[in-house]
Amino acid sequence: MPREHRPTRSVRILLAESGAAARGALAIRLGMVPGFAVVARAATGDEAVAAATAVRPDVALVDFELPGAGGPATAAALLAEVPECRVLMLATFGGPQRLRQVLAAGAAGFLVEDGPVEDLVRAVRAALTGETVIDPAFTGRSGRTPDAPTPP
């Protein structure tokens, strides 16, 4: 469900990544983006849902391989608790089955987790306007599919 993004307020981001080093690096990278604020970090699906319920982020970046229920199940649970949040799933590799799982969970996008921060920033901004963003590396095509109109 799209909503208006208010540029006078920072985009509140939840990071759900199992690796502490990766989580920290992503927080640093996103913290340098004007208008972005990492408001919570989680290492498991349960932690991510609890943090999202507490801080009500605008966007959650969720690792596909998140411990516990996994990224897609975590995304679905997070959206059930905080439906106004936009979820972007991050992974090292994709594929049709993974893409179906991500979209079925209600995620607004599926991105390469170690891609350029500029791509992630564009994806976050696109998700906030209601767009679905799929990294072209995960589609094997231009990145445009009926379910994914906007590549990062």
Side-chain angles (χ1 to χ4, degrees):
M1 170 181 305
R3 63 187 171 147
E4 289 186 33
H5 173 62
R6 291 160 271 168
T8 58
R9 177 174 84 81
S10 290
V11 176
R12 298 167 47 80
I13 299 172
L14 162 69
L15 299 179
E17 165 64 53
S18 59
R23 197 172 49 249
L26 190 54
I28 290 169
R29 291 169 64 195
L30 291 171
M32 294 188 300
V33 176
F36 280 26
V38 175
V39 295
R41 301 180 198 187
T44 68
D46 290 342
E47 287 178 15
V49 173
T53 302
V55 302
R56 314 300 285 192
D58 299 308
V59 176
L61 303 177
V62 178
D63 179 9
F64 189 93
E65 299 291 336
L66 201 61
T74 296
L78 193 152
L79 290 167
E81 293 296 321
V82 187
E84 68 275 12
C85 182
R86 302 292 287 169
V87 175
L88 295 173
M89 191 77 54
L90 307 176
T92 55
F93 65 93
Q97 182 173 349
R98 281 184 165 212
L99 178 57
R100 282 190 294 276
Q101 288 177 305
V102 167
L103 295 174
F110 191 31
L111 306 163
V112 173
E113 69 182 333
D114 58 356
V117 72
E118 296 82 11
D119 289 351
L120 186 55
V121 169
R122 278 192 296 275
V124 166
R125 289 184 176 141
L128 287 169
T129 66
E131 295 178 55
T132 300
V133 184
I134 308 300
D135 194 302
F138 291 164
T139 64
R141 296 184 296 229
S142 67
R144 295 186 183 273
T145 67
D147 295 322
T150 307

